[in-house]
Amino acid sequence: MPTVGKLVLDPIETNQGEKGFYSKFSHENETAKAGYYKVDLEDYNIKAELTATERVGFHQYTFPKSSDAHILLDLVYNVYHHENKNVWTFLRVENDSTVTGYRQTKGWARTKKVFFAIKFSKAFKSYGHQKYDKQTYNGFYGRFNEKENFPEMAGKDIRAYFNFDTEAGEKIQMKFALSPVSSAGAMKNLEAEVPHWDFEKTKRETRQKWNKELSKIEVETIEESQKETFYTALYHTMLSPIIYEDVDGKYRGLDQNIHESKGFTNYTIFSLWDTYRALHPLFNVIQQERNNDMIKSMLAHQEESVHNMLPIWSHYANENWCMIGYHATSVIADAVVKNVGDFDQKQALKASVETANVSYFDGLGEYIKYKYVPDDKSHSSVSKTLELAYDDWTIAQIAKSVGDAKAEKTFLERSEYYNNVFNPVNGYMSPKLSNGKFRKNFNALDTHGQGFIEGNAWNYGLYVPHQLDKMVKMMGGKERFSQHLDSLFTMELDDKYIAKHEDITRDGIIGNYVHGNEPGHHIPYLYNWTGKEYKTQARVRMIMDTMYGPGVEGLCGNDDAGQMSAWYIFSSLGFYPVTPGSDRYALGSPNVKNAILNLENGNTLEIQTINQSMKNVYVKSFKINGKTIERNYILHSEIMNGGTFVFEMSSKHQ
Amino acid sequence: MPTVGKLVLDPIETNQGEKGFYSKFSHENETAKAGYYKVDLEDYNIKAELTATERVGFHQYTFPKSSDAHILLDLVYNVYHHENKNVWTFLRVENDSTVTGYRQTKGWARTKKVFFAIKFSKAFKSYGHQKYDKQTYNGFYGRFNEKENFPEMAGKDIRAYFNFDTEAGEKIQMKFALSPVSSAGAMKNLEAEVPHWDFEKTKRETRQKWNKELSKIEVETIEESQKETFYTALYHTMLSPIIYEDVDGKYRGLDQNIHESKGFTNYTIFSLWDTYRALHPLFNVIQQERNNDMIKSMLAHQEESVHNMLPIWSHYANENWCMIGYHATSVIADAVVKNVGDFDQKQALKASVETANVSYFDGLGEYIKYKYVPDDKSHSSVSKTLELAYDDWTIAQIAKSVGDAKAEKTFLERSEYYNNVFNPVNGYMSPKLSNGKFRKNFNALDTHGQGFIEGNAWNYGLYVPHQLDKMVKMMGGKERFSQHLDSLFTMELDDKYIAKHEDITRDGIIGNYVHGNEPGHHIPYLYNWTGKEYKTQARVRMIMDTMYGPGVEGLCGNDDAGQMSAWYIFSSLGFYPVTPGSDRYALGSPNVKNAILNLENGNTLEIQTINQSMKNVYVKSFKINGKTIERNYILHSEIMNGGTFVFEMSSKHQ
């Protein structure tokens, strides 16, 4: 944070009641683009500009004339700051314009270390720090001043400052490199990625990189705002997973030792309960190379894991176990089935099978023993049973590709376990006890303690993506299931049934359908399994219109590492991967006028519409390369071969 | 800690008032030798045996028959436990008999990380841990059991346990390897140093290593207990500094990055304010190769130091700044003058000069500016002035050897600054203010706030080891100075003048002389500069007799990383390095009957006595290779050339 005037190290208010080091700013004087951010900090008359390369942030601060200019390095603050997550901070002022160090935190990633190296374009005239934790450093005995111009700082909570004299309009630049390995690694990254002080050059090159990626899909939309929504969503799909290695391929593994990626780029931030649904399938269309690297990263993770498990929710050399299932197997199966990447499929099968047999993992031992997760043995028992059954089906797909008939059979059997939690008496997927009886006191509308996690039996209970025809039949057949869906979208859900959870808010709810969270993202497409495709078409257009937008409240829930946005990209283009791990996409209703997919294999897919408008949400006909398609799904090969899709739209359904 | 019976993880007492996991033991059933320790843990009927290699501890526990045997890994406890020094702990159960991890603490070393790898000779049947810090790990949501048989543990305060079934007399062994780098490094150390499970073999080899080192000096003593005291002291001199690198030469540097030692073995634990006096000089006689490695380690430290400083008190990749001065220069100069090692003397001079010019270091800027440390500018001003002046003299010795006349002149000038704190009015080294006047309200007996640290003007004020003749003259000449020494040893010092400090206790005090702490260790030898050598002879024999012994209270103060014991070794042999950085040793009075020094250069020095007894403390004559030596000192070359020293002893002084 750049400031001028009296040095203030408190963010909000000082002990003397003076203002903290924040600044007013106006959105009118703010610019936010892919790879560039600018804002005027009005309290200090400082223009702040930011750009970045993969591993280096490049800051440019334009100061007023001041003999009291500062740049603050606040290593106290972090997200969910009240949780007091700092573990240790270490800082060295290497010379008058270079600072290195690291911070360790215990948050979402339990043992997280982020190393850094900073270079300033101008030498600071002086510097210092304030430490907020108890002084525990024995050696000094207070014999000399550790707080000012002393180049070594360490402790739990540290804010450092660097002082400058500035002329009016003088720019001070900072290059801020990160590393998962060491501060030496961060310095290597800094020198490799930004060896110069040309801010405009980095800004330009970064813009070119973004343009290259964002140009993989070129759309024309009905309304201009839809274009903004589309590219905002596409941008969101590229924010994570992130590269997690130094320029030399070194990274910190789950065992906290330093590893080296060989033949791939290592990634982290795998929010897999979210992203296996549509984000990784989207990568299999437009980011195959990166998805291949991500799968190789997951296989490396499995090798480093003391549990021999693929990532559940991995983050900075940690497994945080967030949410349920082991959906990395779905990501792998989707790539296997779609022939994406050159990862070792046998190793992938081995890793998946080992993952699926860790008895102490979250209900898994009971699932294997009872053929469902008993509600008296494990929390969220129905959700787990449904998701594990699906994941096991994806492992069977990998086994099939590898030619391991035995594993295929085993996991196909396990993929049927969802049957064991369906209660024909009430017609819902329901919590079952270890004695084989369904639980009494069960409320299919409630999201609390009914065997589901972040959902209820009405919505989450429709989760059998790998055997949807069977599920629809089981739940009373097409007509009855279609009515269930109608009710789901139109019923009034009492507030008391809505989980008190940041992932689920009124903004993301339509009736009892929750678009603001992930487990129901396939549901709007399920009308395709009832013979009422037009209802899917109307519903997905309605969701795109009402739950996504270009403004500050553009999303109806957490983006959840790109999944919410990936849903939009697919749906905008007119199809959606209801069953990752199969090569099919359910057809929906595109909201673009036209789209061109510039595929990595060199092919081009043009998606065209006839009679497209905001009201014409129904698909009258669909043609691939001029040939009418009667089925309500398309194949992955039909996308990747390129050519032309033509949707003829209408205001009335057939 | 091995235990049997109900699992107890509290060290002293459980919440239910039950006994903690400690055990009674008897010294009668205890064996402690160099490289081997054995004790019977009576509460559990377990025999515990320990041996070690350089980097690996080898444990052997003999259990009774039990279906409830445990080995506890207590990572909560540390020295000065009440200071709550744990920062972070990380543990992985790699398989049923291998555990890896690390602990980070913030104690004497501010950012200390110790990595480890443990192998058990027998698979544990189950395991678990208790965590005493607030649960901050978000991901679990309590969905599965992290405490038992879950192979990944992390947090601030952790105690882990490993459970076994044991037969009567069954031995369970553990190899426990350390690393400053990583748990992978620890595993490498473990495999390299103890690739087998033969406890007796390691015990035997370790005993051989110790015997080799302890045989460098073979003594016959007057009384048997003196022999025990001598070898206990010699053992103490080898406990630190310690090797601080993995078997592959990798170590953690001051910048927390991983470095590699090239052409040397890296050491840490440099308690230099203590050890430059006699420990490193002793190494220059019997451990030249190790001392060379230590100096190279100090030069590497200086290169890694963000202050460009040689170590003051370095410990596990940290500088803890304990005590004053920069005595690494003395260690280097002593090696330079004595022609020890092959380190780069020019680099050593550069490192010393840079160290001696860090203006923000503990009074150093003021020392350079005022030519003394002003008492109103910096704490312990007189002690600092005296020690810095001496250290600067040692830098001049290095400069002389390198042939840098300019540096030699500069530092010889600075070595005279002690003159500036001598007050001819009171005859004491006294605190002087920045206005050039001596401070009023000065008490030469008090150890509190009188410009000295852990001493007073009466004792610490005699610290000009490089210009003792001048100092004696300045303080009134030989007769008067001799009387000062007499008074020092015989006066009664009131308790109120004794610093409340663990380093200074009544046990280590003779009059106003403090042998239990370091700054006066040269004082008993100062009679040699007054023409009354016999008083030195009597005094050092008296100190050896009364302040050292073989029992549990064998030392009169902290051993301080070997300095207290090194004083004994030299004094026992009849000489002492009053001025490290010169090639002279003051002659004293040996308390051995005979000694043989088996020198690393292949020469042998025999020290013989005639008429030696407890009462015959006076040296009647001293001969080197048959030639009578009239001077009261010997030269380093006279030791290293080997030959024979003969002390003729007497009960009466000349």
Side-chain angles (χ1 to χ4, degrees), chain A residues 106-148:
Chain A
K106 52 174 180 182
W108 193 237
R110 182 160 66 169
T111 302
K112 179 177 175 184
K113 293 166 186 162
V114 179
F115 296 83
F116 55 82
I118 312 171
K119 283 201 166 189
F120 295 83
S121 61
K122 177 178 181 164
F124 30 82
K125 62 177 180 178
S126 58
Y127 63 93
H129 78 292
Q130 185 62 252
K131 190 153 54 177
Y132 299 86
D133 43 319
K134 185 175 152 285
Q135 173 58 268
T136 50
Y137 195 11
N138 288 316
F140 279 112
Y141 299 130
R143 282 187 285 110
F144 53 107
N145 184 356
E146 190 197 357
K147 288 189 178 173
E148 287 170 21

Side-chain angles (χ1 to χ4, degrees), chain B residues 100-367:
Chain B
T100 63
Y102 74 88
R103 184 170 70 164
Q104 183 178 341
T105 53
K106 53 175 180 182
W108 192 237
R110 181 161 65 169
T111 303
K112 179 178 176 185
K113 292 166 189 163
V114 179
F115 297 82
F116 55 82
I118 312 170
K119 282 201 168 190
F120 294 83
S121 62
K122 177 178 181 164
F124 29 84
K125 62 176 179 178
S126 57
Y127 63 94
H129 78 292
Q130 185 61 252
K131 189 152 57 173
Y132 298 86
D133 42 319
K134 184 176 152 284
Q135 172 60 267
T136 52
Y137 196 10
N138 288 318
F140 279 112
Y141 299 128
R143 281 186 288 110
F144 53 106
N145 184 358
E146 192 197 357
K147 288 189 178 173
E148 288 170 21
N149 301 309
F150 190 77
E152 209 170 13
M153 316 169 196
K156 187 170 162 291
D157 291 316
I158 284 177
R159 282 195 190 95
Y161 57 89
F162 304 92
N163 301 326
F164 301 86
D165 291 327
T166 53
E167 297 301 324
E170 182 174 352
K171 288 179 170 59
I172 298 182
Q173 298 175 321
M174 268 175 72
K175 296 186 282 196
F176 200 126
L178 301 180
S179 165
V181 172
S182 63
S183 60
M187 190 56 80
K188 207 179 286 181
N189 295 338
L190 191 152
E191 300 294 357
E193 294 192 349
V194 195
H196 56 75
W197 285 106
D198 188 341
F199 184 86
E200 291 303 322
K201 176 179 157 80
T202 298
K203 179 182 161 190
R204 195 168 57 241
E205 288 172 354
T206 299
R207 184 163 182 80
Q208 282 162 359
K209 283 182 210 165
W210 274 111
N211 265 338
K212 176 168 176 266
E213 297 306 321
L214 294 169
S215 298
K216 285 184 173 171
I217 309 181
E218 300 172 55
V219 296
E220 282 182 65
T221 54
I222 307 164
E223 294 180 354
E224 190 57 24
S225 69
Q226 290 175 313
K227 197 169 184 176
E228 220 173 306
T229 303
F230 185 91
Y231 284 106
T232 300
L234 193 57
Y235 174 82
H236 287 162
T237 68
M238 297 174 191
L239 294 182
S240 68
I242 61 165
I243 293 174
Y244 186 65
E245 61 172 38
D246 286 346
V247 287
D248 59 6
K250 293 212 173 98
Y251 66 95
R252 187 170 297 272
L254 285 170
D255 52 8
Q256 297 294 316
N257 289 314
I258 304 308
H259 297 257
E260 197 172 335
S261 66
K262 280 173 188 151
F264 70 104
T265 299
N266 192 54
Y267 279 82
T268 193
I269 303 190
F270 291 117
S271 182
L272 288 161
W273 183 79
D274 304 302
T275 58
Y276 81 92
R277 301 168 199 268
L279 183 68
H280 287 284
L282 179 65
F283 292 159
N284 283 339
V285 177
I286 59 166
Q287 296 281 357
Q288 294 194 344
E289 195 180 317
R290 286 179 69 226
N291 208 42
N292 185 37
D293 280 334
M294 290 173 200
I295 290 171
K296 288 181 177 178
S297 304
M298 293 180 198
L299 296 177
H301 173 115
Q302 195 266 342
E303 283 184 339
E304 293 159 19
S305 161
V306 74
H307 315 284
N308 302 312
M309 289 187 80
L310 287 161
I312 304 303
W313 207 126
S314 79
H315 186 193
Y316 274 72
N318 282 258
E319 175 55 80
N320 68 38
W321 306 110
C322 183
M323 297 308 289
I324 60 174
Y326 34 75
H327 303 296
T329 63
S330 167
V331 175
I332 293 168
D334 202 52
V336 164
V337 165
K338 293 169 182 172
N339 202 24
V340 170
D342 65 350
F343 58 89
D344 182 338
Q345 293 198 3
K346 282 191 182 164
Q347 185 195 349
L349 177 62
K350 182 171 178 286
S352 299
V353 171
E354 286 178 6
T355 301
N357 282 294
V358 176
S359 62
Y360 53 77
F361 170 66
D362 201 15
L364 182 54
E366 292 75 18
Y367 168 83

Side-chain angles (χ1 to χ4, degrees), chain A residues 348-368:
Chain A
L349 176 62
K350 182 170 177 288
S352 299
V353 170
E354 286 178 7
T355 300
N357 282 293
V358 177
S359 63
Y360 53 77
F361 169 66
D362 201 17
L364 182 54
E366 292 76 18
Y367 168 82
I368 293 168

Side-chain angles (χ1 to χ4, degrees), chain B residues 72-91:
Chain B
L72 312 184
L73 178 59
D74 179 2
L75 291 162
V76 178
Y77 179 78
N78 41 40
V79 177
Y80 298 130
H81 181 61
H82 62 280
E83 290 182 6
N84 189 19
K85 295 189 291 190
N86 277 6
V87 171
W88 198 248
T89 305
F90 181 85
L91 264 184

Side-chain angles (χ1 to χ4, degrees), chain B residues 29-48:
Chain B
N29 297 317
E30 188 186 33
T31 305
K33 297 183 178 182
Y36 177 68
Y37 179 76
K38 192 217 85 167
V39 71
D40 289 343
L41 303 172
E42 295 174 9
D43 290 356
Y44 303 115
N45 190 23
I46 291 170
K47 179 166 77 172

